[in-house]
């Protein structure tokens, strides 16, 4: 049976949207705060680099119904160096943000509104660059979940340099979750759209030039969100949740989840052509985020957060209830095995807890890894993270450390210690929100002992609105990227 859910038009008066209030409320000041005070514990002196998190922050009241994915991208960063910490936040100065700033009002309607009245351009949707942030060829790259041109950002000042064209070689847009292989410093990315072949895949070299690009044939337009890489392969997704083509043609947003279609995974050699793809089928589901993937013998193992029911059935007369239901995914840890010799796919659940936004030691991306640090989703009206979970993805064993009443987390990053001797010989960094004080803090955990709680809490004089994805850029990688290339 196919499920068909459309976000119907609201009543005459707009309904209050919790994603514009409380911990999600936008803030419009851009500040730099040095020497953040230590509220508890001690700041590790070997933290050297920048923790950066992206998220939506609308600069003007939205036109019509607001979806959390609509807000203008704002980066929040903490720069650690010599036992000191400095906080900065800056808008991603997209072309759309600057146009609205010049007009003094919002000009673009969001993803669940008709796009007919949006300003004309390459596409009618607004690229908010609010979803992920990746470090490559010396820049932070701010990306958007529906695919758009990435924006290059200075990793220290957070100043926007502009659209990153990959030195004039980028032939497409880039989806939110591109992957960097830190061992080769190559960037693997994909794009998707409404025109055949419906997906494109590419590789950029350490200097940021696209060195490989190919089309991936799909049955029709899809809405993939993430991908995975291994040492020699990339894994792309054809999942049975997509925007109804007829609704899209009419300028409407209508998600369609077809339970009769399988989930399909395209395994392609890193520099492979579209006709070299090996397809593997699994049970119908949706995947927002992959933990990691790696090769072992004849198999590729991929661990991900799997959503079995991505199209919730709700009150069709209440558009706000529909929106909120979509933003409360029920995701559980899941393992897939793709056998390259036999073509078989085996899948199995690793846990039944609702958990998402995985973070791993980035140096293990594409190679065998054991630990994943994830956010537990609380049972609430909106998406809130009430605990950090440390998973052993080899066995499914887990540890869960709750944040405490009124405290909520955000995606964290894994920071390897200098000279680390094990995968979890690392720190974890995270923004935390205190609903009592309505301010935010910066928490640092010992990755080997999350159950002990944070080893350090830093105070922030401001609130960091809850948002999306984060990255860690070590001082070593930033300095290496800044060095002039050999002639």
């Amino acid at each position: 049976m196919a499920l068909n859910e459309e976000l119907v038009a609201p009543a005459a008066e707009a309904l209050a949207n919790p994603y514009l209030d409380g911990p999600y409320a936008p803030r419009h000041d851009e500040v730099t705060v040095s020497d953040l005070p230590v509220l508890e514990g001690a700041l590790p002196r070997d933290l050297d680099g920048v923790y950066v998190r992206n998220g939506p922050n609308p600069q003007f009241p939205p036109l019509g119904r607001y979806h959390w994915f609509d807000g203008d991208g704002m980066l929040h960063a903490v720069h650690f160096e010599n036992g000191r910490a400095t906080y900065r936040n800056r808008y991603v100065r997209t072309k759309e943000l600057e146009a609205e700033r010049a007009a003094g009002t919002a000009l673009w309607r969001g993803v669940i509104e008709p796009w007919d009245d949006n300003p004309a351009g390459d596409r009618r949707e607004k690229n908010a660059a609010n979803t992920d942030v990746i470090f490559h060829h010396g820049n932070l790259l701010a990306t958007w979940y529906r695919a758009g041109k990435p924006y290059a950002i200075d990793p220290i000042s957070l100043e926007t340099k502009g659209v990153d064209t990959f030195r004039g070689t980028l032939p497409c847009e880039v989806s939110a979750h591109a992957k960097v292989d830190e061992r080769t410093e190559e960037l693997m990315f994909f794009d998707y759209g409404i025109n055949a072949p419906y997906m494109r895949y590419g590789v950029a070299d350490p200097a940021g030039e696209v060195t490989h690009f190919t089309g991936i044939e799909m049955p029709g337009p899809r809405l993939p969100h993430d991908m995975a890489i291994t040492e020699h392969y990339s894994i792309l997704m054809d999942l049975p949740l997509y925007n109804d083509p007829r609704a899209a043609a009419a300028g409407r947003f209508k998600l369609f989840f077809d339970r009769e279609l399988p989930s399909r995974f395209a395994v392609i050699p890193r520099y492979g052509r579209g006709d070299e793809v090996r397809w593997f089928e699994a049970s119908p589901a949706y995947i927002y985020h992959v933990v990691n993937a790696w090769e072992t013998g004849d198999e590729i193992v991929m661990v991900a957060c799997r959503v079995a029911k991505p199209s919730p059935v709700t009150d069709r007369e209440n558009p706000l209830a529909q929106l909120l239901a979509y933003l409360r995914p029920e995701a559980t840890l899941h393992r897939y095995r793709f056998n390259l010799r036999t073509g078989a796919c085996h899948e199995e659940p690793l846990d039944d807890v609702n958990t998402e936004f995985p973070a791993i030691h980035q140096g293990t991306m594409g190679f065998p890894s054991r630990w994943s640090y994830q956010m537990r989703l609380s049972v609430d009206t909106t998406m809130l993270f009430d605990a950090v979970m440390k998973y052993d993805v080899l066995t499914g064993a887990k540890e869960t450390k709750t944040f405490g009443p009124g405290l909520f987390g955000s995606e964290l990053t894994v920071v390897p210690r200098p000279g680390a001797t094990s995968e979890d010989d690392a720190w974890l960094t995270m923004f935390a929100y205190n609903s009592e004080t309505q301010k935010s803090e910066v928490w640092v955990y010992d990755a080997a002992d999350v159950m002990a709680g944070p080893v350090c809490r830093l105070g922030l004089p401001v609130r960091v609105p809850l948002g999306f994805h984060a990255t860690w850029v070590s001082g070593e990688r930033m300095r290496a990227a800044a060095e002039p290339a050999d002639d």
Side-chain angles (χ1 to χ4, degrees):
M1 175 182 179
L3 294 182
N4 207 345
E5 282 288 321
E6 182 173 4
L7 297 180
V8 297
E13 295 186 7
L15 298 170
N17 190 318
Y19 284 99
L20 291 169
D21 195 14
Y24 309 93
R27 48 172 295 204
H28 305 293
D29 54 333
E30 297 177 304
V31 303
T32 301
V33 182
S34 301
D35 295 318
L36 299 181
V38 175
L39 304 179
E40 181 179 89
L43 179 61
R45 292 192 62 84
D46 58 0
L47 275 173
D48 174 27
V50 182
Y51 165 57
V52 191
R53 203 219 67 203
N54 203 348
N57 196 89
Q59 66 171 338
F60 294 111
L63 300 175
R65 294 166 294 175
Y66 175 75
H67 192 290
W68 197 24
F69 297 163
D70 294 339
D72 300 290
M74 177 177 276
L75 297 178
H76 303 265
V78 181
H79 182 199
F80 299 92
E81 189 174 26
N82 298 324
R84 301 171 62 186
T86 298
Y87 166 81
R88 289 181 180 84
N89 72 301
R90 298 290 187 274
Y91 273 108
V92 181
R93 284 174 164 72
T94 63
K95 294 178 180 179
E96 292 90 337
L97 180 139
E98 295 292 5
E100 291 183 333
R101 186 166 289 183
T105 186
L107 300 174
W108 276 265
R109 292 180 178 273
V111 297
I112 58 173
E113 284 286 311
W115 305 327
D116 296 348
D117 295 333
N118 284 352
D122 295 338
R123 59 189 292 173
R124 288 298 181 97
E125 292 176 280
K126 177 182 180 178
N127 174 9
N130 66 14
T131 308
D132 203 358
V133 56
I134 306 152
F135 182 74
H136 193 249
H137 57 275
N139 294 319
L140 295 172
L141 302 178
T143 57
W144 189 49
Y145 96 108
R146 290 271 290 163
K149 298 297 184 184
Y151 278 82
I153 313 287
D154 184 278
I156 298 298
S157 70
L158 300 187
E159 296 306 315
T160 302
K161 299 180 180 181
V163 169
D164 196 326
T165 66
F166 289 20
R167 300 192 175 193
T169 65
L170 183 63
C172 64
E173 297 179 327
V174 175
S175 188
H177 298 304
K179 302 295 184 181
V180 175
D181 180 344
E182 290 192 2
R183 304 189 188 202
T184 66
E185 286 295 345
E186 291 173 303
L187 175 76
M188 278 56 71
F189 64 91
F190 71 95
D191 176 30
Y192 62 92
I194 60 173
N195 298 315
Y198 305 114
M199 181 180 282
R200 292 151 292 277
Y201 160 76
V203 181
D205 67 14
E209 293 189 14
V210 176
T211 56
H212 178 72
F213 189 73
T214 188
I216 307 294
E217 293 288 345
M218 306 276 272
R222 294 293 188 263
L223 294 172
H225 191 68
D226 204 355
M227 64 177 293
I229 63 170
T230 70
E231 183 177 8
H232 300 106
Y233 298 92
S234 292
I235 299 96
L236 306 167
M237 304 185 198
D238 172 13
L239 305 174
L241 178 74
Y242 48 89
N243 194 3
D244 187 303
R246 291 169 297 180
R252 300 196 314 276
F253 188 80
K254 185 177 182 181
L255 285 177
F256 182 84
F257 181 54
D258 192 340
R259 294 186 183 278
E260 296 181 355
L261 291 180
S263 297
R264 300 200 310 152
F265 300 92
V267 176
I268 183 172
R270 181 169 292 191
Y271 311 106
R273 304 183 310 272
D275 60 9
E276 294 181 273
V277 165
R278 296 277 305 277
W279 287 102
F280 294 84
E281 294 189 355
S283 59
Y286 193 75
I287 294 173
Y288 284 103
H289 302 118
V290 171
V291 175
N292 198 11
W294 60 86
E295 301 161 30
T296 176
D298 294 329
E299 291 186 326
I300 289 177
V301 177
M302 186 179 80
V303 181
C305 299
R306 177 182 180 271
V307 182
K309 299 177 181 179
S311 183
V313 178
T314 58
D315 181 3
R316 290 178 55 82
E317 300 304 316
N318 186 340
L320 181 59
Q322 295 177 56
L323 170 63
L324 296 179
Y326 276 104
L327 287 172
R328 289 196 309 273
E330 295 180 5
T332 56
L333 202 63
H334 206 75
R335 180 163 56 210
Y336 297 88
R337 293 182 179 273
F338 310 121
N339 192 303
L340 298 176
R341 181 177 57 84
T342 67
C345 173
H346 175 75
E347 60 178 309
E348 59 182 330
L350 293 178
D351 196 18
D352 59 0
V353 174
N354 193 2
T355 178
E356 251 288 359
F357 285 66
I360 64 170
H361 183 315
Q362 290 298 301
T364 68
M365 176 77 71
F367 293 84
S369 63
R370 182 177 181 184
W371 304 114
S372 178
Y373 301 87
Q374 305 185 188
M375 294 289 108
R376 187 179 71 181
L377 277 67
S378 71
V379 179
D380 211 304
T381 304
T382 59
M383 185 186 291
L384 293 170
F385 304 147
D386 64 2
V388 58
M389 302 186 68
K390 180 180 180 179
Y391 274 105
D392 182 337
V393 300
L394 303 181
T395 67
K398 63 180 181 289
E399 295 178 332
T400 304
K401 179 63 176 178
T402 58
F403 299 134
L407 297 171
F408 301 101
S410 59
E411 182 173 272
L412 46 75
T413 60
V414 181
V415 184
R417 290 189 178 114
T421 58
S422 64
E423 186 183 330
D424 62 353
D425 187 6
W427 304 111
L428 308 176
T429 58
M430 182 189 79
F431 287 115
Y433 172 71
N434 187 322
S435 58
E436 181 176 347
T437 64
Q438 298 186 20
K439 291 184 179 179
S440 298
E441 300 175 3
V442 182
W443 288 7
V444 180
Y445 288 85
D446 181 344
D449 188 12
V450 296
M451 297 304 293
V455 301
C456 179
R457 292 173 44 230
L458 299 176
L460 286 173
V462 296
R463 176 179 53 83
V464 176
L466 299 183
F468 300 138
H469 297 285
T471 195
W472 170 263
V473 188
S474 69
E476 180 181 6
R477 287 188 76 208
M478 285 189 289
R479 290 186 288 271
E483 293 177 355
D486 294 335
D487 295 333

